[in-house]
Amino acid sequence: MTAGRGREVYGAMVLGLAFMGCGRDVPSGPEPFDVLITGARIVDGAGNPWVRGDIGLRGDRIAAVGDLDGHAAARTIDAADRVVTPGFMDMMGQSSVVLVTDPPSAESKLRQGITTYLSGEGGSAAPQSDVTQPEGPVVNGEELRWRTYAEYFAHVERLGIPINVVHDVGLTQVRRVVLGEEDVRPTPEQLEEMKALVRQAMEDGAIGTSTSLIYPPAVYATTEELVELTRVAGEYGGTYFTHMRNESHAVLEAIREAIEIGVRAGTPVHIYHLKAAGQENWPLMAEALALIDSARVAGIDVTADIYPYIRNGIGLGSFLHPRHYAGGAAPFLETLADPAVRAELREEVETTSDWENWYRHVGMDWDKVLIVSAPDDVDERVINRSIAEAANVLGTEEWDAFFDLVQAGGVSVNPQSMNEEQKWQALRAEFVMIDTDASPTNPATTASAHPRAFGAFPRVIAKYVKEDGILSLEDAVRRMTSLAAGRLGLADRGLIAPGMAADLVLFDPDEVRDMARFGDAMRYAEGMDYVFVNGVPVIDDGALTEAQPGRLLRRETGAGPR
């Protein structure tokens, strides 16, 4: 039995005992509850069938579960037969810095029922250096500077956040601090410096390492480098989280590399946003899932997540081979002014496939590449248009529009590279969880985004539970709560049982829906009536509160080197 599956079985046992023992005749203590939720359909998070009952909260904990009729409470909420679940957990929610630089951004996650998210992919908030952070963000007139997670966490806790966040240490970030952006190998001394940065992050509370291996400079890291750095995290019981080196034609080889890194480093492995991109590669999804399952059967702890959309999100510059960025992005982008360079690159994109070629993944059709964000100096009329449509707006040819936008830098796109069948296949695999792959997003300060930033978790319920019938509600909730908590090492979250943290969501499944659409993404999800974070309502009867009860959830205190 894998460690992850063992935690699931344990959770189910705990919940069964909780409901057997929390009836009318069991005392809940002399003091009243702070909050009493009555008449709910309780979906416990362990995958068990729902039961009707009440939930009493004291402070930041669930105090009792069962028939609590007659118990006193400072506040009583009649669930009126709505569902109550543990708070949802976003397995890759990107930046946490935005929570302090743009606090209203948190609403994009809270209205999805997300109470905890994992921050970091290849990049991470720490470590930092004078090069990676020449200036700190300014918050309330104060410039915030930090180098380590300990320093960063001190800023965050002082300012407050409304949602729980878990952090990993991005090996792209570590590489930038020590090696910069170029295609180089670390010297033995530099490798030791990189390992020391990972060790510091783990000492400060990170839960593991993470990579994004299709983007420069992460793409330049060898397997050996990743093993050596992740082995440090393994000494602390950490996990290896990865955006793999390939998510298309070589996805099986990429999974094997991820597993190799975890086995050699002594860590569990979690694969971010598993996919088989490109129509010719769609059949590989079944093989990818089978490969992961075979590893799990062999006793290797491997899990994965997906986001519930068939378009991914990526920088437009990734449509060019990453080797061109080996000398740094800025010098390369300058060369795109040369028509001869453009012609050579176009031929490479159109004729080669031994790399993550996103142009081939969209069927070599610029109409399937939607522009979602761009720098201020790019014509704003191209936002929410395809590359083909943008060419018409700009009065140019499609390839020239593409190169102009790449040269501008910072253009993000949503390519249509997947199909629904692979989403169904993934959701039928018991080890797959859910992510948004998006930072908290404020519609007032952000021009556009991928719909997953606003709708991923409600979409699982509205589409894959209610519409497609791929999952039961109980199993969908399990993936979004206890399964994720197990992977993140959060032993006191993800289940509804006495003593667990009071992160809860109350909703009517028939009313939950994602409103964000491609081309119209800046719309909050609907239907999450109450969201509690550490016992405090952050959404109260449909209204966002100003409460900031969120916490930085560190790796278990005292879990030092093994």
Side-chain angles (χ1 to χ4, degrees):
M1 178 182 294
T2 66
R5 187 58 183 160
R7 186 184 293 274
E8 294 167 42
V9 173
Y10 172 74
M13 293 171 59
V14 168
L15 267 291
L17 292 171
F19 278 103
M20 290 171 60
C22 285
R24 183 188 301 272
D25 298 328
V26 177
S28 58
E31 72 273 26
F33 299 122
D34 295 322
V35 178
L36 176 61
I37 301 171
T38 63
R41 284 182 287 162
I42 299 174
V43 177
D44 60 27
N48 296 315
W50 67 267
V51 298
R52 186 168 282 105
D54 311 323
I55 303 172
L57 311 182
R58 289 198 190 96
D60 64 354
R61 296 283 137 179
I62 297 172
V65 182
D67 180 358
L68 304 177
D69 184 35
H71 286 253
R75 181 183 181 187
T76 298
I77 297 172
D78 180 6
D81 212 34
R82 285 173 289 187
V83 167
V84 177
T85 76
F88 301 154
M89 298 188 182
D90 181 353
M91 285 302 298
M92 204 259 279
Q94 296 289 2
S95 172
S96 65
V97 177
V98 68
L99 293 175
V100 294
T101 60
D102 190 8
S105 65
E107 187 172 0
S108 63
K109 291 195 184 290
L110 296 174
R111 289 205 176 273
Q112 296 185 60
I114 297 168
T115 58
T116 300
Y117 74 90
L118 173 60
S119 175
E121 191 176 4
S124 56
Q128 297 287 353
S129 68
D130 289 340
V131 174
T132 61
Q133 193 190 60
E135 297 179 349
V138 177
V139 178
N140 300 326
E142 175 191 5
E143 182 183 10
L144 306 182
R145 303 297 295 270
W146 65 89
R147 293 292 177 264
T148 66
Y149 264 134
E151 294 169 349
Y152 172 65
F153 290 164
H155 288 308
V156 175
E157 290 177 330
R158 176 170 55 87
L159 293 166
I161 52 176
I163 190 170
N164 301 316
V165 191
V166 185
H167 291 80
D168 54 40
V169 54
L171 297 188
T172 303
Q173 188 69 16
V174 170
R175 187 170 241 272
R176 284 189 175 121
V177 168
V178 178
L179 303 176
E181 297 285 345
E182 297 183 359
D183 182 1
V184 295
R185 300 286 178 270
T187 65
E189 294 76 17
Q190 288 172 325
L191 185 61
E192 288 303 313
E193 185 179 353
M194 295 166 76
K195 291 165 69 173
L197 291 175
V198 173
R199 186 174 304 281
Q200 181 66 59
M202 296 301 296
E203 293 278 359
D204 290 346
I207 66 166
T209 60
S210 62
T211 58
S212 52
L213 297 177
I214 72 166
Y215 302 111
V219 67
Y220 311 132
T222 65
T223 301
E224 192 65 31
E225 176 184 319
L226 301 176
V227 168
E228 285 298 308
L229 297 178
T230 298
R231 186 174 285 134
V232 176
E235 296 174 8
Y236 293 82
T239 296
Y240 175 61
F241 299 87
T242 181
H243 176 153
M244 298 184 298
R245 209 175 290 274
N246 186 279
E247 299 179 318
S248 55
H249 68 285
V251 65
L252 302 182
E253 291 86 342
I255 292 171
R256 292 187 184 100
E257 182 193 36
I259 292 173
E260 178 189 350
I261 291 167
V263 169
R264 291 177 60 192
T267 67
V269 175
H270 182 81
I271 297 169
Y272 288 138
H273 47 57
L274 181 66
K275 65 174 72 68
Q279 186 168 354
E280 69 273 22
N281 304 312
W282 291 347
L284 292 176
M285 188 60 153
E287 296 181 52
L289 292 164
L291 177 58
I292 295 171
D293 192 58
S294 66
R296 288 168 59 83
V297 169
I300 301 171
D301 189 356
V302 189
T303 54
D305 62 57
I306 65 165
Y307 48 76
Y309 298 88
I310 62 173
R311 287 181 183 265
N312 58 297
I314 200 168
L316 187 60
S318 298
F319 276 63
L320 298 175
H321 199 297
R323 65 182 175 83
H324 297 298
Y325 297 89
F332 168 60
L333 294 181
E334 289 180 6
T335 69
L336 297 184
D338 185 342
V341 172
R342 290 188 175 197
E344 182 180 340
L345 291 171
R346 175 177 176 176
E347 181 179 5
E348 178 181 53
V349 170
E350 289 184 318
T351 60
T352 64
S353 59
D354 59 342
W355 55 290
E356 194 78 279
N357 188 331
W358 290 100
Y359 184 59
R360 291 181 66 91
H361 295 345
V362 297
M364 303 177 78
D365 183 354
W366 287 123
D367 252 329
K368 292 185 177 179
V369 183
L370 182 72
I371 301 166
V372 294
S373 67
D376 292 340
D377 56 354
V378 171
D379 191 327
E380 65 180 11
R381 294 178 299 165
V382 305
I383 304 299
N384 292 326
R385 296 180 188 270
S386 70
I387 296 292
E389 292 169 334
N392 289 331
V393 167
L394 299 173
T396 189
E397 187 268 337
E398 290 179 352
W399 278 94
D400 281 333
F402 163 70
F403 283 116
D404 288 345
L405 291 168
V406 171
Q407 190 171 16
V411 175
S412 296
V413 294
N414 293 160
Q416 186 178 326
S417 61
M418 293 166 276
N419 63 336
E420 287 293 354
E421 183 178 356
Q422 67 180 268
K423 301 298 178 182
W424 296 341
Q425 291 172 326
L427 289 171
R428 291 184 177 116
E430 68 170 14
F431 53 81
V432 170
M433 306 162 215
I434 308 299
D435 79 84
T436 64
D437 191 10
S439 296
T441 304
N442 180 2
T445 57
T446 306
S448 190
H450 193 295
R452 64 195 180 197
F454 291 87
F457 282 71
R459 182 174 175 80
V460 170
I461 296 171
K463 177 173 175 57
Y464 295 103
V465 173
K466 303 295 293 184
E467 181 179 333
D468 294 351
I470 299 300
L471 296 171
S472 68
L473 178 62
E474 289 87 347
D475 192 28
V477 170
R478 177 186 72 87
R479 295 166 187 277
M480 298 189 288
T481 58
S482 68
L483 188 62
R487 179 76 298 156
L488 298 175
L490 304 177
D492 66 342
R493 294 172 199 268
L495 296 169
I496 294 180
M500 301 296 283
D503 294 343
L504 298 171
V505 186
L506 191 157
F507 59 91
D508 179 345
D510 292 329
E511 298 299 323
V512 169
R513 58 181 61 86
D514 55 309
M515 304 301 294
R517 301 290 181 264
F518 290 100
D520 185 20
M522 314 299 282
R523 302 174 65 190
Y524 293 118
E526 296 181 351
M528 299 299 173
D529 297 325
Y530 293 86
V531 177
F532 287 82
V533 175
N534 297 309
V536 177
V538 290
I539 293 180
D540 194 337
D541 196 16
L544 186 74
T545 73
E546 295 183 356
Q548 292 188 314
R551 295 176 183 168
L552 296 173
L553 304 178
R554 297 169 172 80
R555 181 181 50 83
E556 183 179 351
T557 302
R562 297 186 303 194

mmCIF file of all heavy atoms in Angstrom, residues 471-496:
data_model
loop_
_atom_site.group_PDB
_atom_site.id
_atom_site.type_symbol
_atom_site.label_atom_id
_atom_site.label_comp_id
_atom_site.label_asym_id
_atom_site.label_seq_id
_atom_site.Cartn_x
_atom_site.Cartn_y
_atom_site.Cartn_z
ATOM 1 N N LEU A 471 -17.549 11.700 -11.915
ATOM 2 C CA LEU A 471 -17.252 11.517 -10.497
ATOM 3 C C LEU A 471 -18.523 11.628 -9.683
ATOM 4 O O LEU A 471 -19.445 12.373 -10.041
ATOM 5 C CB LEU A 471 -16.290 12.607 -10.011
ATOM 6 C CG LEU A 471 -14.884 12.687 -10.596
ATOM 7 C CD1 LEU A 471 -14.220 13.973 -10.125
ATOM 8 C CD2 LEU A 471 -14.067 11.481 -10.188
ATOM 9 N N SER A 472 -18.556 10.925 -8.559
ATOM 10 C CA SER A 472 -19.564 11.232 -7.550
ATOM 11 C C SER A 472 -19.126 12.491 -6.826
ATOM 12 O O SER A 472 -17.945 12.855 -6.834
ATOM 13 C CB SER A 472 -19.700 10.083 -6.551
ATOM 14 O OG SER A 472 -18.518 9.970 -5.771
ATOM 15 N N LEU A 473 -20.065 13.169 -6.182
ATOM 16 C CA LEU A 473 -19.701 14.353 -5.415
ATOM 17 C C LEU A 473 -18.712 13.989 -4.322
ATOM 18 O O LEU A 473 -17.742 14.711 -4.072
ATOM 19 C CB LEU A 473 -20.949 15.004 -4.806
ATOM 20 C CG LEU A 473 -20.685 16.240 -3.940
ATOM 21 C CD1 LEU A 473 -20.043 17.352 -4.770
ATOM 22 C CD2 LEU A 473 -21.986 16.727 -3.296
ATOM 23 N N GLU A 474 -18.938 12.844 -3.679
ATOM 24 C CA GLU A 474 -18.062 12.440 -2.579
ATOM 25 C C GLU A 474 -16.625 12.223 -3.061
ATOM 26 O O GLU A 474 -15.665 12.598 -2.383
ATOM 27 C CB GLU A 474 -18.594 11.161 -1.920
ATOM 28 C CG GLU A 474 -19.867 11.363 -1.126
ATOM 29 C CD GLU A 474 -21.145 11.249 -1.960
ATOM 30 O OE1 GLU A 474 -21.049 11.261 -3.204
ATOM 31 O OE2 GLU A 474 -22.224 11.137 -1.362
ATOM 32 N N ASP A 475 -16.467 11.618 -4.242
ATOM 33 C CA ASP A 475 -15.113 11.372 -4.735
ATOM 34 C C ASP A 475 -14.462 12.662 -5.209
ATOM 35 O O ASP A 475 -13.256 12.862 -5.023
ATOM 36 C CB ASP A 475 -15.134 10.347 -5.866
ATOM 37 C CG ASP A 475 -13.741 9.839 -6.216
ATOM 38 O OD1 ASP A 475 -12.868 9.831 -5.330
ATOM 39 O OD2 ASP A 475 -13.517 9.473 -7.386
ATOM 40 N N ALA A 476 -15.258 13.534 -5.822
ATOM 41 C CA ALA A 476 -14.702 14.830 -6.221
ATOM 42 C C ALA A 476 -14.188 15.589 -5.006
ATOM 43 O O ALA A 476 -13.084 16.158 -5.025
ATOM 44 C CB ALA A 476 -15.760 15.651 -6.948
ATOM 45 N N VAL A 477 -14.962 15.596 -3.929
ATOM 46 C CA VAL A 477 -14.552 16.283 -2.704
ATOM 47 C C VAL A 477 -13.311 15.618 -2.114
ATOM 48 O O VAL A 477 -12.394 16.299 -1.638
ATOM 49 C CB VAL A 477 -15.710 16.313 -1.691
ATOM 50 C CG1 VAL A 477 -15.228 16.793 -0.322
ATOM 51 C CG2 VAL A 477 -16.834 17.203 -2.204
ATOM 52 N N ARG A 478 -13.249 14.290 -2.136
ATOM 53 C CA ARG A 478 -12.058 13.590 -1.625
ATOM 54 C C ARG A 478 -10.794 14.083 -2.325
ATOM 55 O O ARG A 478 -9.763 14.345 -1.680
ATOM 56 C CB ARG A 478 -12.207 12.086 -1.854
ATOM 57 C CG ARG A 478 -10.995 11.264 -1.424
ATOM 58 C CD ARG A 478 -11.150 9.797 -1.810
ATOM 59 N NE ARG A 478 -11.019 9.594 -3.243
ATOM 60 C CZ ARG A 478 -9.868 9.393 -3.892
ATOM 61 N NH1 ARG A 478 -8.730 9.394 -3.216
ATOM 62 N NH2 ARG A 478 -9.846 9.200 -5.188
ATOM 63 N N ARG A 479 -10.858 14.229 -3.640
ATOM 64 C CA ARG A 479 -9.687 14.661 -4.398
ATOM 65 C C ARG A 479 -9.298 16.092 -4.040
ATOM 66 O O ARG A 479 -8.102 16.436 -4.053
ATOM 67 C CB ARG A 479 -9.989 14.572 -5.899
ATOM 68 C CG ARG A 479 -10.225 13.155 -6.379
ATOM 69 C CD ARG A 479 -10.850 13.135 -7.779
ATOM 70 N NE ARG A 479 -11.206 11.787 -8.152
ATOM 71 C CZ ARG A 479 -10.372 10.895 -8.671
ATOM 72 N NH1 ARG A 479 -9.110 11.249 -8.887
ATOM 73 N NH2 ARG A 479 -10.770 9.685 -8.978
ATOM 74 N N MET A 480 -10.288 16.913 -3.736
ATOM 75 C CA MET A 480 -10.050 18.326 -3.464
ATOM 76 C C MET A 480 -9.741 18.603 -2.002
ATOM 77 O O MET A 480 -9.466 19.750 -1.638
ATOM 78 C CB MET A 480 -11.258 19.147 -3.923
ATOM 79 C CG MET A 480 -11.506 19.046 -5.428
ATOM 80 S SD MET A 480 -12.742 20.190 -6.089
ATOM 81 C CE MET A 480 -14.273 19.506 -5.466
ATOM 82 N N THR A 481 -9.796 17.560 -1.153
ATOM 83 C CA THR A 481 -9.613 17.774 0.288
ATOM 84 C C THR A 481 -8.625 16.785 0.894
ATOM 85 O O THR A 481 -7.427 17.044 0.922
ATOM 86 C CB THR A 481 -10.967 17.706 1.013
ATOM 87 O OG1 THR A 481 -11.601 16.429 0.763
ATOM 88 C CG2 THR A 481 -11.905 18.806 0.526
ATOM 89 N N SER A 482 -9.073 15.605 1.333
ATOM 90 C CA SER A 482 -8.184 14.714 2.084
ATOM 91 C C SER A 482 -7.042 14.184 1.243
ATOM 92 O O SER A 482 -5.922 14.007 1.740
ATOM 93 C CB SER A 482 -8.982 13.544 2.682
ATOM 94 O OG SER A 482 -9.471 12.676 1.671
ATOM 95 N N LEU A 483 -7.285 13.889 -0.040
ATOM 96 C CA LEU A 483 -6.212 13.386 -0.884
ATOM 97 C C LEU A 483 -5.124 14.449 -1.034
ATOM 98 O O LEU A 483 -3.928 14.163 -0.939
ATOM 99 C CB LEU A 483 -6.761 12.983 -2.252
ATOM 100 C CG LEU A 483 -5.789 12.257 -3.191
ATOM 101 C CD1 LEU A 483 -5.328 10.935 -2.583
ATOM 102 C CD2 LEU A 483 -6.439 12.009 -4.552
ATOM 103 N N ALA A 484 -5.557 15.695 -1.252
ATOM 104 C CA ALA A 484 -4.597 16.803 -1.361
ATOM 105 C C ALA A 484 -3.891 17.050 -0.031
ATOM 106 O O ALA A 484 -2.675 17.282 0.007
ATOM 107 C CB ALA A 484 -5.322 18.062 -1.821
ATOM 108 N N ALA A 485 -4.641 16.992 1.074
ATOM 109 C CA ALA A 485 -4.029 17.208 2.389
ATOM 110 C C ALA A 485 -2.943 16.178 2.666
ATOM 111 O O ALA A 485 -1.888 16.493 3.223
ATOM 112 C CB ALA A 485 -5.095 17.171 3.474
ATOM 113 N N GLY A 486 -3.200 14.943 2.277
ATOM 114 C CA GLY A 486 -2.203 13.900 2.461
ATOM 115 C C GLY A 486 -0.935 14.190 1.684
ATOM 116 O O GLY A 486 0.176 14.009 2.191
ATOM 117 N N ARG A 487 -1.090 14.644 0.453
ATOM 118 C CA ARG A 487 0.075 14.949 -0.365
ATOM 119 C C ARG A 487 0.862 16.139 0.194
ATOM 120 O O ARG A 487 2.090 16.186 0.108
ATOM 121 C CB ARG A 487 -0.364 15.250 -1.803
ATOM 122 C CG ARG A 487 0.750 15.609 -2.781
ATOM 123 C CD ARG A 487 1.568 14.414 -3.248
ATOM 124 N NE ARG A 487 2.276 13.746 -2.159
ATOM 125 C CZ ARG A 487 2.665 12.467 -2.192
ATOM 126 N NH1 ARG A 487 2.406 11.720 -3.249
ATOM 127 N NH2 ARG A 487 3.301 11.933 -1.187
ATOM 128 N N LEU A 488 0.140 17.108 0.752
ATOM 129 C CA LEU A 488 0.779 18.307 1.301
ATOM 130 C C LEU A 488 1.272 18.121 2.733
ATOM 131 O O LEU A 488 1.869 19.025 3.304
ATOM 132 C CB LEU A 488 -0.196 19.483 1.247
ATOM 133 C CG LEU A 488 -0.652 19.898 -0.155
ATOM 134 C CD1 LEU A 488 -1.713 20.987 -0.066
ATOM 135 C CD2 LEU A 488 0.517 20.357 -1.009
ATOM 136 N N GLY A 489 0.994 16.963 3.320
ATOM 137 C CA GLY A 489 1.444 16.699 4.679
ATOM 138 C C GLY A 489 0.673 17.439 5.738
ATOM 139 O O GLY A 489 1.194 17.703 6.829
ATOM 140 N N LEU A 490 -0.601 17.772 5.462
ATOM 141 C CA LEU A 490 -1.432 18.527 6.407
ATOM 142 C C LEU A 490 -2.332 17.547 7.153
ATOM 143 O O LEU A 490 -3.473 17.293 6.772
ATOM 144 C CB LEU A 490 -2.249 19.576 5.657
ATOM 145 C CG LEU A 490 -1.433 20.560 4.814
ATOM 146 C CD1 LEU A 490 -2.348 21.504 4.050
ATOM 147 C CD2 LEU A 490 -0.456 21.341 5.694
ATOM 148 N N ALA A 491 -1.822 17.002 8.237
ATOM 149 C CA ALA A 491 -2.519 15.931 8.938
ATOM 150 C C ALA A 491 -3.797 16.393 9.619
ATOM 151 O O ALA A 491 -4.665 15.575 9.931
ATOM 152 C CB ALA A 491 -1.583 15.294 9.965
ATOM 153 N N ASP A 492 -3.947 17.699 9.873
ATOM 154 C CA ASP A 492 -5.121 18.183 10.598
ATOM 155 C C ASP A 492 -6.118 18.882 9.689
ATOM 156 O O ASP A 492 -6.985 19.620 10.164
ATOM 157 C CB ASP A 492 -4.708 19.111 11.736
ATOM 158 C CG ASP A 492 -4.065 20.398 11.235
ATOM 159 O OD1 ASP A 492 -3.628 20.445 10.065
ATOM 160 O OD2 ASP A 492 -4.000 21.377 12.015
ATOM 161 N N ARG A 493 -6.025 18.667 8.384
ATOM 162 C CA ARG A 493 -6.953 19.308 7.448
ATOM 163 C C ARG A 493 -7.418 18.310 6.406
ATOM 164 O O ARG A 493 -6.824 17.252 6.220
ATOM 165 C CB ARG A 493 -6.287 20.521 6.772
ATOM 166 C CG ARG A 493 -5.999 21.629 7.759
ATOM 167 C CD ARG A 493 -5.163 22.769 7.196
ATOM 168 N NE ARG A 493 -4.577 23.519 8.299
ATOM 169 C CZ ARG A 493 -5.144 24.596 8.855
ATOM 170 N NH1 ARG A 493 -6.280 25.079 8.379
ATOM 171 N NH2 ARG A 493 -4.571 25.199 9.882
ATOM 172 N N GLY A 494 -8.518 18.687 5.733
ATOM 173 C CA GLY A 494 -9.012 17.865 4.647
ATOM 174 C C GLY A 494 -10.086 16.876 5.017
ATOM 175 O O GLY A 494 -10.597 16.161 4.159
ATOM 176 N N LEU A 495 -10.452 16.810 6.294
ATOM 177 C CA LEU A 495 -11.499 15.915 6.768
ATOM 178 C C LEU A 495 -12.417 16.654 7.730
ATOM 179 O O LEU A 495 -11.977 17.566 8.434
ATOM 180 C CB LEU A 495 -10.901 14.701 7.493
ATOM 181 C CG LEU A 495 -10.034 13.747 6.679
ATOM 182 C CD1 LEU A 495 -9.315 12.774 7.610
ATOM 183 C CD2 LEU A 495 -10.874 12.982 5.669
ATOM 184 N N ILE A 496 -13.670 16.255 7.768
ATOM 185 C CA ILE A 496 -14.596 16.767 8.771
ATOM 186 C C ILE A 496 -14.672 15.752 9.901
ATOM 187 O O ILE A 496 -15.247 14.671 9.760
ATOM 188 C CB ILE A 496 -15.993 17.026 8.176
ATOM 189 C CG1 ILE A 496 -15.920 18.162 7.145
ATOM 190 C CG2 ILE A 496 -16.995 17.370 9.284
ATOM 191 C CD1 ILE A 496 -17.257 18.488 6.492
#
